[in-house]
Amino acid sequence: MKFSDVIGQEEAKNRLRDLVKEHRIPNTLMLCGPAGSGKMALALAFASYLLGERDGETSLLSDPRAIANAEAMLAKWEHPDLHFTFPVIKPTGTSPDHKMSSDDFISRWNAMLLKSPYFTMDSWLSAMEAANQQAIIGAGESDELIKKLSLKSSQGGYKVSIIWLPERMNVECANKLLKLLEEPPHQTIFIMVCEEPELLLDTIKSRTQRIDIKRIDDADIEQALIERRAIDTEHAHRIARIASGNWLRALENLDAGNENRAFLDMFIMLMRLAYQRDIRELKKWSEVIASYGREKQRRFISYTMSLIRENFMYNFQVPELCFMTLEEETFSRKFARFINEANVIDINDLLQKARRDIGQNANARIVFFDLALQMIVLLIRK
């Protein structure tokens, strides 16, 4: 994968190139940024460059045959010096003695990367057929990584370890990885791709060089939609603005049956039933949401928080401050007045608590029914 395949992010690309040019590549890099910003795409492009992929006409390898060989292996993500670590589940029926690792799902992982370097945790859970299970990086992963990285580079250059969402490591895995970072194997580069760095051990963070990846510029998303998706300029401009720097969100808006449209329907139902104080129907609503997988439940809460914010800003009648689809704006014209200074903070706090509780495996039916009941009280505040 080349840097040119990454949407926007020219500043980050140049910084990574400079690390190589100036011989200042740290043993551990941590790319942090919001969802859809292209962190993983940048990690893959940088790893590919370190392993011989050409950036324009430039390659770290000098032999044309070695370059061609490296690019052929990287095209399938099967380079022997590139190692992936990512959260996995433990499928039903797996032996209790088996410690799960990325190797158990590597073929599915590679297949997903070949489709696109832009993806979500939900996409990965779907690829693993995870149902309601939550994915983690366990001790089995660190054991396998130590074995792999103890070997010499098969191609005589760098060994690269990409760790996707290291914040999902359990304590045992994190402590073992820390020892590996403290004494990294020769010519080994770790690239962590992180969305919630605050959840990582401070001792791990202190051993990384952090690069914050910003949201993608609207102009870059607009251009990518026109060039890669053949979208007309006017439509691409509106989608880019709504996407707010998130390429995945831009793609969702191209899909007529995208998840956010379903979330909007559930949001509208919640607000109407709460306004009507229809407790029986609110209970049914909470059971429907509870039937979602936990990752989807968390995404619904995040979507609701976002729409609450947009409705609050809509009251100021400043179009530049609002980022809603046409369907969302149609509902908000009449609903926005119910989100005001008297309740917007408490509603946001309520949703944050629900998201935290779901992340801690609380009973989803109780969490969402409680949320619905409290929404009755909060909506009438003026």
Side-chain angles (χ1 to χ4, degrees):
M1 178 173 177
K2 301 179 184 295
F3 281 119
S4 58
D5 296 322
V6 180
I7 299 169
Q9 303 298 0
E10 294 305 319
E11 181 181 342
K13 293 177 191 176
N14 290 332
R15 183 171 177 184
L16 292 172
R17 289 187 182 105
D18 289 343
L19 290 176
V20 178
K21 188 185 303 181
E22 298 167 6
H23 304 288
R24 295 188 296 105
I25 307 173
N27 290 118
T28 307
L29 271 173
M30 183 164 67
L31 306 183
C32 302
S37 59
K39 303 180 297 298
M40 190 61 178
L42 280 166
L44 291 168
F46 187 50
S48 297
Y49 183 50
L50 292 175
L51 295 172
E53 180 92 54
R54 281 171 291 188
D55 180 30
E57 297 299 320
T58 305
S59 171
L60 298 190
L61 302 178
S62 55
D63 184 350
R65 288 176 298 179
I67 295 172
N69 185 45
E71 290 182 339
M73 292 186 291
L74 289 166
K76 298 180 180 179
W77 298 119
E78 294 178 352
H79 195 292
D81 294 326
L82 177 60
H83 307 285
F84 290 106
T85 293
F86 42 82
V88 297
I89 61 168
K90 192 164 190 174
T92 303
T94 303
S95 169
D97 297 328
H98 178 67
K99 292 184 177 181
M100 300 298 298
S101 72
S102 300
D103 286 347
D104 292 302
F105 288 96
I106 194 62
S107 60
R108 299 190 190 191
W109 173 263
N110 287 348
M112 185 178 69
L113 290 184
L114 288 172
K115 290 181 180 178
S116 174
Y118 295 84
F119 54 87
T120 63
M121 171 54 76
D122 190 59
S123 302
W124 176 227
L125 289 173
S126 178
M128 290 191 292
E129 300 177 354
N132 290 333
Q133 292 175 273
Q134 294 200 72
I136 65 166
I137 302 175
E141 184 62 47
S142 52
D143 293 340
E144 288 297 320
L145 198 56
I146 291 171
K147 291 178 185 177
K148 293 175 184 176
L149 297 180
S150 65
L151 302 174
K152 290 184 178 180
S153 165
S154 68
Q155 305 299 302
Y158 289 108
K159 292 177 290 183
V160 182
S161 172
I162 295 180
I163 305 176
W164 183 55
L165 303 186
E167 60 266 37
R168 287 182 176 253
M169 290 186 294
N170 65 17
V171 175
E172 185 179 359
C173 179
N175 286 328
K176 288 184 177 181
L177 179 65
L178 176 59
K179 293 181 180 179
L180 196 58
L181 298 181
E182 289 174 338
E183 298 180 11
H186 179 62
Q187 278 197 300
T188 298
I189 307 298
F190 294 92
I191 306 175
M192 296 185 178
V193 181
C194 191
E195 290 189 358
E196 299 178 286
E198 67 276 5
L199 299 181
L200 276 173
L201 294 177
D202 288 338
T203 45
I204 288 181
K205 288 187 288 186
S206 68
R207 285 165 174 78
T208 68
Q209 180 172 321
R210 174 171 170 169
I211 297 179
D212 289 311
I213 309 302
K214 302 175 183 177
R215 60 186 292 277
I216 306 172
D217 290 341
D218 290 355
D220 290 325
I221 289 184
E222 184 176 338
Q223 183 179 359
L225 287 169
I226 294 170
E227 295 178 354
R228 303 185 186 197
R229 300 287 169 159
I231 305 299
D232 65 83
T233 303
E234 184 178 351
H235 192 196
H237 180 74
R238 182 178 181 88
I239 290 176
R241 190 170 180 277
I242 293 171
S244 191
N246 185 333
W247 175 246
L248 294 170
R249 190 175 181 189
L251 295 182
E252 286 175 356
N253 278 282
L254 292 178
D255 180 7
N258 75 71
E259 185 178 74
N260 280 358
R261 284 186 171 84
F263 283 171
L264 175 60
D265 291 339
M266 295 306 290
F267 175 86
I268 292 173
M269 188 182 301
L270 169 63
M271 296 307 164
R272 284 177 174 167
L273 292 175
Y275 180 75
Q276 296 166 2
R277 304 185 185 185
D278 192 333
I279 294 177
R280 179 176 296 181
E281 290 301 315
L282 282 172
K283 186 174 186 298
K284 292 180 181 178
W285 175 90
S286 64
E287 290 172 351
V288 172
I289 298 292
S291 69
Y292 296 170
R294 288 194 179 272
E295 293 296 335
K296 187 173 181 179
Q297 290 166 6
R298 295 178 71 185
R299 290 200 308 280
F300 170 73
I301 295 172
S302 295
Y303 173 82
T304 300
M305 292 172 66
S306 173
L307 209 48
I308 290 294
R309 181 264 177 201
E310 298 303 333
N311 275 270
F312 179 67
M313 300 307 297
Y314 189 85
N315 292 311
F316 294 97
Q317 297 299 309
V318 181
E320 292 77 14
L321 298 178
C322 295
F323 300 87
M324 291 188 282
T325 64
L326 184 60
E327 293 90 343
E328 291 167 347
E329 187 176 346
T330 299
F331 174 70
S332 297
R333 286 177 190 140
K334 293 183 179 179
F335 172 73
R337 62 191 177 91
F338 292 99
I339 307 299
N340 51 62
E341 292 87 345
N343 62 14
V344 65
I345 293 177
D346 288 336
I347 290 176
N348 186 68
D349 290 345
L350 173 64
L351 291 166
Q352 283 186 334
K353 180 179 181 300
R355 192 175 190 278
R356 183 173 62 250
D357 290 344
I358 291 299
Q360 295 174 350
N361 291 321
N363 186 302
R365 284 186 172 84
I366 295 175
V367 170
F368 284 105
F369 189 44
D370 178 67
L371 185 153
L373 293 178
Q374 293 196 53
M375 197 64 72
I376 293 175
V377 178
L378 291 172
L379 279 184
I380 63 175
R381 286 189 186 173
K382 295 182 180 179

